Amino acid sequence: MSLVKLGRARLSLVLPHHREQLRAARNPTLYDLFESYALATQTVDNLLREHPRREELINEYQALCLDLQSEVVSLLDRIELRSH
């Protein structure tokens, strides 16, 4: 699965109110965010499997994931406003 598809799928799970917008999105900037989100969430997954855990790094990547989610929602809202 491509990083764009993976990021879009993972965002659809954590942003259920935006699923339709995420599915319909055709925007290069969003594609970049989808890829970044996929990489960040994969990193979190890998860090969570480590023993001992590097909690500070986990927290940083989880914060990055939340920031990326916010960016995606903001961009989706701007795209939605332009289409009306």
Side-chain angles (χ1 to χ4, degrees):
M1 178 179 288
S2 77
L3 288 174
V4 170
K5 287 181 181 179
L6 180 61
R8 187 190 309 252
R10 285 184 174 220
L11 282 161
S12 291
L13 290 173
V14 297
L15 301 172
H17 293 95
H18 297 279
R19 277 190 189 136
E20 290 303 317
Q21 286 177 291
L22 288 165
R23 274 191 209 115
R26 303 289 179 263
N27 180 291
T29 304
L30 272 174
Y31 294 161
D32 290 342
L33 291 170
F34 293 165
E35 283 185 359
S36 296
Y37 190 76
L39 291 169
T41 56
Q42 285 178 327
T43 301
V44 170
D45 292 345
N46 292 335
L47 288 168
L48 289 172
R49 286 193 286 273
E50 288 183 354
H51 294 286
R53 282 187 173 185
R54 295 182 281 171
E55 295 297 334
E56 189 172 315
L57 196 54
I58 290 169
N59 292 336
E60 285 179 35
Y61 272 93
Q62 287 174 331
L64 174 61
C65 291
L66 292 174
D67 289 344
L68 289 167
Q69 289 173 26
S70 294
E71 282 187 59
V72 167
V73 168
S74 176
L75 185 53
L76 287 172
D77 289 344
R78 287 196 308 269
I79 291 169
E80 184 75 21
L81 285 174
R82 279 190 260 148
S83 69
H84 291 291

